[in-house]
């Protein structure tokens, strides 16, 4: 009986368990149905709360009829699960009942999505009313799952931050939009493309949109607002409608963006605001002739910028007078910091003849090699440190016959004593010689600073002549030209000053001009440098040995430019074998990462021993951006100094770079007859061995070179 009773109890328990399980499953099903529910409501304005039950579970909502701001408040506060809303059949009516709904706002217009109505919601799909006129403040801000939305052609106002921080991937702004508020599409980190046809692009409109790469601007847009594309690092260019014309590009519009190209000239922009194009990837820019304002720092800190065409005519004066009636004037002031930090900018002939003022720090650290920097006749003031750090300036030409006023330290960091100041006449030069700061320039007094041998140019043979003079070798020099520190003497300290200006390219003439001048006086020698080929891959560090084959003369020094491929850096230079008694110097040329000035000389005027073989070793390193395809290492504009301190011109040397096995040598003016490779075991072959090779190159003229190459 006990067992029967137990079985009956177990049976009862099982029935209760099954009933509870069934109830639980039905409950889960009901909850699932509620949590994913869709609802269509034909609403009368103000009644949405009464028309929707279980609002917390509604995911899809379609509303027809009329709505007002109170209905949007209900959606904002009571529908947390909403992912899709369709308002295409809705008319939004005014709300003026005097009670605050969103914040302290009490009155709401017709055809307007109220402020913050959908802020932070999980919306993935939105259809707006076809007659919508306004999208309110932050209405869809933070809707990070919202990938797309169509803005109706009736919308005239998009208020501040309307879609900020949303998940939009593309957007089209219709021509109907007359007012675009601040930061409308800012921090939309998934946004990749935008088509803008509004009347203007609002302040900070696309701020920080790090994936925005494609932007098209319609003909109706006439202004780009402050910080509109600030931080858009993938934005390299903008497609403007051919009919688009703009009045202004406001401050910081493209700062810290990836901008590489923009056709400002065709747009006819009249004003470019402060820092508008600072910290971009622009390489060149032509400004519109209509422009009258170029703001502070407008083009500052652009490391790739080499060329800027300023607005205005080349000649704007009439019958010798500025401001003549009927004569167009444009940009009269270069503002503070306008080109500061643009190390590669070729500013020599950039200033037009109507520029009157150069602001503080305007050309600060514009250090590119410039044969002549020209200041037009209209200049009357240069601001504090306006041209400080212009270490590549080889001459300064001032057309103004009255000495312009100066701020403090206009040419700080520039070795003014080595830079000639060219004026309109001797009479005008006397005025500059008596003027503060201007007087520190070099005025032509029958010598060129650094031209110690008097041949009209400043080059490496001036150094050897100077050293010979100090060693008592009997060579005469012009002490005035050798006196770099201005103490009235020619000493070893001045030799250091001369070497420094050669290494930094801060001489009166560039090395190309030296060659042009001397090529008419000296025939090129058949003596030549020979550079070993190199196998180089990304991440490698390799050495290159440079030999000298000389039969015509013995040489004590050399000067040339070393040009490396992009992504390759010089990390060391040293004398070897025939050049062990020489010191070698290398320095980047005026911020150009790929070009070095290379100098080799002996402080005791030792010659390079013998007549063939290595004299120096270069060590180079390739970074991750290096591509060996078509890469070359070049020694160009090679000048050799013979025992009589005469310059001899020889051919350029080119070495092909490869990332595969094999060794080759190329040298100017030398035809190779054959190349033999010998390994450490003494074996000989026509092809390189793995490991260390002794490479013997024989030329058709009977000469040969021997270098060591690691395969």
């Amino acid at each position: 009986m006990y067992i029967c009773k137990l079985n009956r109890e177990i049976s009862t328990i099982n029935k209760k368990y099954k009933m509870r399980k069934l109830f639980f499953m039905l409950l889960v099903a009901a909850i699932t149905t509620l949590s994913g529910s869709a609802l269509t409501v034909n609403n009368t304005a103000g009644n949405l709360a009464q028309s929707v039950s279980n609002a917390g579970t509604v995911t899809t909502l379609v509303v027809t009829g009329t709505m007002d701001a109170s209905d949007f408040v209900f959606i904002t506060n009571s529908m947390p699960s909403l992912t899709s809303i369709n308002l295409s059949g809705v008319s939004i009516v005014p709300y003026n009942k005097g009670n605050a709904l969103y914040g302290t706002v009490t009155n709401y217009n017709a055809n307007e999505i109220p402020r913050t109505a959908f802020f932070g919601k999980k919306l993935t799909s939105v259809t707006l009313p076809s007659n919508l006129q306004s999208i309110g403040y932050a209405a869809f801000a933070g809707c990070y799952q919202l990938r797309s939305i169509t803005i109706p052609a009736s919308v005239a106002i998009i208020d501040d931050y309307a879609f900020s921080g949303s998940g939009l991937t593309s957007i089209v702004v219709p021509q109907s939009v007359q007012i675009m508020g601040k930061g409308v599409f800012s921090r939309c980190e998934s946004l990749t493309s935008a088509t803008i046809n509004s009347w203007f692009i609002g302040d900070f409109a696309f701020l920080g949109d790090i994936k925005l790469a494609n932007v098209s601007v319609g003909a109706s847009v006439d202004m780009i607002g402050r910080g509109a594309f600030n931080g858009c690092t993938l934005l390299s260019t903008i497609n403007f409608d051919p009919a688009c014309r703009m009045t202004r590009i406001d401050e910081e519009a493209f700062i810290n963006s990836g901008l590489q190209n923009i056709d400002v000239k065709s747009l006819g922009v009249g004003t470019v605001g402060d820092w508008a194009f600072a910290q971009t990837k622009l390489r060149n820019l032509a400004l519109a002739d209509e422009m009258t304002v170029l703001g502070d720092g407008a083009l500052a800190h652009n490391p790739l910028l080499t060329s800027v065409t300023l607005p205005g005519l080349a000649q704007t004066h009439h019958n010798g007078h500025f401001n003549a009636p009927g004569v167009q004037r444009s940009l009269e002031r270069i503002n503070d910091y306008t080109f500061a930090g643009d190390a590669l900018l070729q500013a020599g002939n950039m200033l037009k003849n109507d520029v009157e003022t150069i602001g503080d720090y305007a050309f600060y650290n514009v250090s590119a090699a410039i044969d002549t920097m020209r200041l037009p006749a209209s200049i009357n003031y240069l601001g504090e440190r306006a041209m400080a750090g212009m270490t590549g300036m080889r001459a300064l030409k001032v057309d103004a016959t009255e000495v312009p006023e100066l701020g403090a330290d206009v040419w700080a960091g520039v070795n003014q004593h080595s830079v000639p100041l060219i004026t309109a006449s001797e009479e005008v030069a006397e005025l500059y010689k008596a003027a503060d700061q201007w007087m520190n320039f070099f005025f032509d007094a029958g010598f060129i600073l650094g031209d110690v041998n008097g041949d009209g140019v400043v080059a490496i043979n001036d150094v050897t002549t100077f050293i010979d003079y100090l060693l008592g070798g009997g060579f005469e020099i012009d002490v005035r030209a050798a006196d770099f520190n201005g103490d009235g003497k020619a000493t070893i300290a001045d030799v250091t000053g001369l070497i420094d200006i050669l290494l930094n390219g801060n001489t009166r003439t560039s090395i190309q001009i030296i060659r042009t001048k001397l090529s008419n006086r000296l025939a090129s020698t058949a003596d030549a440098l020979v550079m070993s080929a190199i196998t180089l891959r990304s991440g490698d560090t390799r050495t290159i040995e440079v030999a000298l084959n000389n039969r015509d003369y013995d040489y004590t020094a050399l000067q040339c430019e070393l040009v490396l491929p992009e992504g390759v850096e010089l990390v060391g230079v040293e004398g070897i074998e025939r050049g062990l008694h020489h010191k070698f110097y290398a320095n980047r040329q005026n911020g150009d990462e790929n070009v070095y000035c290379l100098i080799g000389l002996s402080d005791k005027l030792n010659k390079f021993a013998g007549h063939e073989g290595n004299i120096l070793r270069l060590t180079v390193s390739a970074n991750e951006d290096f591509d060996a395809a078509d890469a070359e290492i070049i020694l160009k504009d090679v000048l050799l100094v013979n025992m009589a301190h005469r310059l001899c011109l020889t051919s350029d040397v080119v070495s092909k770079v490869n990332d595969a096995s094999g060794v080759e040598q190329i040298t100017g003016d030398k035809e190779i007859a054959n190349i033999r490779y010998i390994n450490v075991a003494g074996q000989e072959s026509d092809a390189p061995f793995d490991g260390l090779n002794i490479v013997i190159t024989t030329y058709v003229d009977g000469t040969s070179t021997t270098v060591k190459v690691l395969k």
Side-chain angles (χ1 to χ4, degrees), residues 18-32:
K18 289 179 181 179
M19 290 296 294
R20 288 176 180 174
K21 182 177 180 181
L22 178 61
F23 175 79
F24 177 77
M25 292 176 65
L26 291 173
L27 178 62
V28 168
I31 292 173
T32 302

Side-chain angles (χ1 to χ4, degrees), residues 678-681 689-695 707-711:
I678 302 174
N679 66 10
V680 293
F689 296 92
D690 290 331
L692 183 67
N693 287 261
I694 297 175
V695 184
V707 296
K708 288 179 285 187
V709 175
L710 185 64
K711 175 186 172 187

